[in-house]
Amino acid sequence: MSSFFLTTAIDYVNSRPHLGTAYEKITADVIARYHRLKGDDTWFLMGNDEHSQNVFKRAQEQGKDPLAYCDEMEQVFREVWGRLDVSFNDFIRTTDRKRHFPAVQRMAQVCQDNGDIYEGTYEGFYCVGCEEFKPEKDLVDGLCPIHKTRPEWIKEKNWFFRLSKYQQPLLKFYEEHPSFIEPEVRRNEILRFVEGGLDDLSMSRAGQSWGIPLPFDPKSVVYVWFDALINYAAAVGYGWDDALFKKRWPANLHIVGKDITRFHCVIWPAMLMSAGLPLPGQVFGHGWVFFKGERMSKSLGNMVDPLDAAKRFGPDPLRLYLTKEVPYGGDGDFTWERFEEKYNADLANNLGNLVNRVAAMTERYRGGQLTAQSGGPLATVAAESARAYAHAMDRLALHEGVASAYRLISAANEFIAETQPWSLAKDPANAARLSHVLYDAAEAVRIAAVLLLPVMPSSAVEILRRLGETTAPADLRLDTASTWRASGERAILNAGALWPRLEDKGAPNVSENTTPATPTVPASAAATETTAPAAAVAPAAPAGIHATEAGIAPSDAAAPELISIDDFMKIQLKVAKILEAERVPKSKKLVQLKVDVGEVAPRTILAGIAESYEPEQLVGRTIVVVANLKPAKLMGIESNGMVLAASPEGGGAMLLNAEPAVPGTRVR
Ligand code: MSP
């Protein structure tokens, strides 16, 4: 098993994450998940960059202690990344005194001991937005070209890092490691820049308290970039756990934006050379995501909150849009119109419709059961798509990887249109052919879902579940899972629209030419605000504590008393994610859940589902709960809500699955 250590830039915490910063984390997450799918021992690091002057100022503006402010912002960032399903393994902060401080102080000391740090006076411009010293030639009309603000003129005694000494070693390294800087356009930029000669770098700031004191001059703090870059080594033990550091370092891949590639391709490797440490495998400088063609910025007031985008349809459509529509390495654009257009085209009409049609036809014509068949024409397309996908993903051409999966999806849609299973079904003489066609389509969709696992984790898992995949998602491996399966039985689940079309206002999708599908989960779970109540959908019998443990039988559906929509709307059904689950001691049925309902703090809910689920199967599921139920005490524990589950006669409770909707989304 090979190991793979990747990182993203660590974010300034003077404002909330926006769609641009989220783009970086989501695409890095796609890469991390791809490596996990390949079976690599993957370590994905993210974090926050806190010693910036703007962070300090923002805390002061809010009358907060800077560290307390950063503590709060950590929660904000973690929450956003959690809701976007970003699966980092570690999150480091530059105010971390156990890991980051010793690492920064060790590296500064080692560079000093090696004669690469000397005292001097810095005089020149400094842009606080970039946290960068700016040579006059880089200014446009006296302004920073990125922030359009006038940099400060500063003159102070500083410590300098001998960056100039590393010009030749860096050029030699780039030559010997041609894939160190990607994509090529950035490599060329950096080569030209370094060939032009390097100035030494001021690596300390005088007269500031917000930062890490230099070990050899405690009155000065380390310059924020020199400090921040070290996070990558600090997180894996540098300066505090040599054995761990030896195990994990060097990083295989740094994912950063094009505006900060220079810091990562010039200053960081020079620092590592000075400290005698191995260099990372690659720095990938991705492009920017613009909003309606403009750079997102606070001053323009056009920052898109990624949670607004994720609330629209759940995190996966956003993840798909950003990965598929922006060529990785280049720039891209986001508009709400385009996002909705792509949602309809790629998800509602294409993949979603395909899953529904296959499942509905299999249910109708084969009672939901298929026997595996050796490959027809779709097997060839599947093999070719899987090959092209891996080739693209290995080169970080993420958009091409997704396009390969979509080629298979389109081929499966065309295959259904051509073979017309509904016509085959009319003549019993075509029975074998019909079984083959249905299996081929189902198998092609299964393989496409495997390829999409890194991009749309929850949706792909849901598709695999409906297609009868029995391996746990975490155990799926790309090579075996993306290969055509020619033997075995498959149980296919027809579970309603995954992504309702927008103008349908949440109405379930018609799943094949002749039979409309009956969803078991209200289709509106994924569609949120724009969605009208899915009143036509039969309600599932609750199996929460009140229906089971408390002994109240679910009402008989034979002659239901009709209620008005207003009555129904009194019940607040919400999407919730299970964070923790444990059996209630001395109870056969009760499980104590901690769930995220999109509120500030998680809630405790007791559910009578212990006979159907082991606690560990529950953690991570996205379910539906009644959020406005009066609290009730059972076995001495207060329950604040009730989970919804289908309770078939004589069978165990089956929790309603609300993936990929985000916690807090209203279900109606
Ligand atoms: N704190 C530094 C990075 C230090 S890494 C040792 C920083 N922080 S940032 O918050 O300004 O940006 C974080 C990352 O988000 C950077 O890689 C930056 O390029 C990226 N992006 C910021 N705006 C972006 C877009 N509009 N689009 C894509 N990425 C963008 O820089």
Side-chain angles (χ1 to χ4, degrees), residues 9-12 18 20-21 24 49 225 232 257 259-260 286 288-289:
I10 52 173
D11 296 338
Y12 292 132
H18 57 74
T21 40
E24 175 174 293
D49 189 354
W225 266 103
Y232 304 126
D259 51 328
I260 61 168
H286 62 75
W288 275 345
V289 173

Side-chain angles (χ1 to χ4, degrees), residues 10 72 89 185 199 207 226 299 335 374 421 444 460 473 572 583 607 653 668:
I10 52 173
E72 277 174 23
N89 297 96
V185 44
D199 292 332
F226 197 93
S299 50
T335 64
S374 56
Q572 264 190 28
R583 279 176 188 280
R668 49 201 167 173

Side-chain angles (χ1 to χ4, degrees), residues 32-103:
R33 287 178 185 269
Y34 170 68
H35 278 273
R36 292 193 194 111
L37 185 59
K38 283 210 310 182
D40 291 343
D41 170 21
T42 305
W43 195 252
F44 176 22
L45 170 70
M46 291 184 10
N48 282 348
D49 189 354
E50 301 178 330
H51 287 134
S52 132
Q53 292 175 49
N54 278 335
V55 171
F56 186 76
K57 273 191 212 147
R58 178 49 54 93
Q60 276 189 324
E61 280 163 19
Q62 297 190 6
K64 289 181 179 147
D65 166 68
L67 195 54
Y69 169 80
C70 291
D71 289 348
E72 277 174 23
M73 289 309 279
E74 179 190 9
Q75 295 317 314
V76 172
F77 275 75
R78 279 182 182 269
E79 199 212 328
V80 174
W81 304 145
R83 288 188 180 216
L84 297 176
D85 261 342
V86 176
S87 61
F88 54 84
N89 297 96
D90 188 11
F91 194 89
I92 188 156
R93 297 174 48 184
T94 55
T95 49
D96 181 334
R97 284 181 176 262
K98 269 210 206 108
R99 303 195 291 170
H100 192 67
F101 271 53

Side-chain angles (χ1 to χ4, degrees), residues 278-351:
L279 269 52
Q282 186 173 94
V283 176
F284 187 92
H286 62 75
W288 275 345
V289 173
F290 294 90
F291 178 61
K292 294 188 180 165
E294 274 182 328
R295 186 180 150 87
M296 275 175 260
S297 79
K298 246 188 281 147
S299 50
L300 287 171
N302 63 352
M303 307 227 287
V304 177
D305 187 330
L307 290 191
D308 286 341
K311 264 185 218 143
R312 193 89 181 84
F313 316 113
D316 283 350
L318 176 65
R319 293 173 61 105
L320 179 72
Y321 180 93
L322 293 175
T323 314
K324 184 166 178 276
E325 299 309 309
V326 185
Y328 206 42
D331 292 335
D333 199 34
F334 178 91
T335 64
W336 288 103
E337 296 73 27
R338 181 104 181 109
F339 180 40
E340 289 175 1
E341 208 178 280
K342 293 308 297 178
Y343 166 85
N344 263 346
D346 290 337
L347 294 172
N349 292 349
N350 201 355
L351 179 57

